[in-house]
Amino acid sequence: MINAFSSNTDPGAIAHAFACGVVLGFIPKGNLLWILLFVFIFFMRIQRATFSLTIIVAALFAPLLDNLFDSLGYWMLTNESLVPFYRTILDIPFVAFTKINNTMVMGSFVAGLILYIPCYVIGRVFVWLWRKYLADAIRRSKLAKITKQIPLIQKLSSLASKI
């Protein structure tokens, strides 16, 4: 991921990967919605290492936001104006497997969609700051030089560059 920040990778691809990773990291795993979004996003032009790492980090923080997701999902699912829409989509075969009628799934999905644009902007700004100010300073640091000498890090870096 650090190589992607410093390479010729489009900043938009990195920012989209970050934003999409937040959306998927928040949604509970093991339902059709998560799987469909993962497959759809994975075939987009994004930086996959950033996407994968962001899913993991966002999934670690998601339990801290469970009460918010549950409240938001409950509000969305009990909103009277949306009830006919939910009835219509839940009558479609296989839509029930998305578990969109679960307050946690709906709340985390909506929260992820709300946070998509702010996460994209934060990702773009971070890549710009990284490339302009931080990359050279970190590359010259003693910690980076020592880390590059570790064989496992060298192998992981070469694997990541191939992806």
Side-chain angles (χ1 to χ4, degrees):
M1 193 167 82
I2 291 173
N3 288 341
F5 288 159
S6 302
S7 71
N8 246 356
T9 305
D10 178 35
I14 297 170
H16 278 298
F18 175 68
C20 290
V22 169
V23 172
L24 277 181
F26 283 171
I27 297 174
K29 295 13 160 213
N31 58 61
L32 188 59
L33 177 66
W34 194 91
I35 294 167
L36 289 174
L37 286 173
F38 179 81
V39 169
F40 177 73
I41 293 169
F42 197 77
F43 286 109
M44 292 173 40
R45 262 186 202 207
I46 59 171
Q47 213 289 319
R48 286 178 181 78
T50 303
F51 174 63
S52 302
L53 186 61
T54 306
I55 289 174
I56 294 167
V57 172
L60 291 174
F61 284 101
L64 301 174
L65 303 171
D66 278 351
N67 290 334
L68 173 72
F69 295 155
D70 190 45
S71 301
L72 181 60
Y74 182 79
W75 180 80
M76 290 292 295
L77 292 172
T78 57
N79 190 337
E80 288 298 322
S81 62
L82 295 174
V83 169
F85 172 71
Y86 296 136
R87 284 190 187 133
T88 303
I89 64 167
L90 286 174
D91 286 340
I92 300 170
F94 298 108
V95 171
F97 293 121
T98 63
K99 295 186 182 177
I100 202 75
N101 57 341
N102 183 315
T103 57
M104 291 298 291
V105 173
M106 177 61 87
S108 59
F109 179 59
V110 170
L113 292 178
I114 290 169
L115 290 173
Y116 186 87
I117 292 176
C119 287
Y120 176 81
V121 171
I122 290 169
R124 285 291 288 237
V125 169
F126 180 76
V127 170
W128 179 77
L129 288 172
W130 177 269
R131 290 180 178 175
K132 185 151 179 111
Y133 300 110
L134 299 173
D136 288 333
I138 290 178
R139 201 174 292 128
R140 284 182 270 138
S141 72
K142 288 182 182 180
L143 180 63
K145 291 176 183 176
I146 293 170
T147 305
K148 285 182 182 180
Q149 302 301 322
I150 300 171
L152 179 63
I153 300 295
Q154 292 173 346
K155 288 180 183 180
L156 289 174
S157 179
S158 66
L159 283 173
S161 65
K162 290 178 185 177
I163 294 174

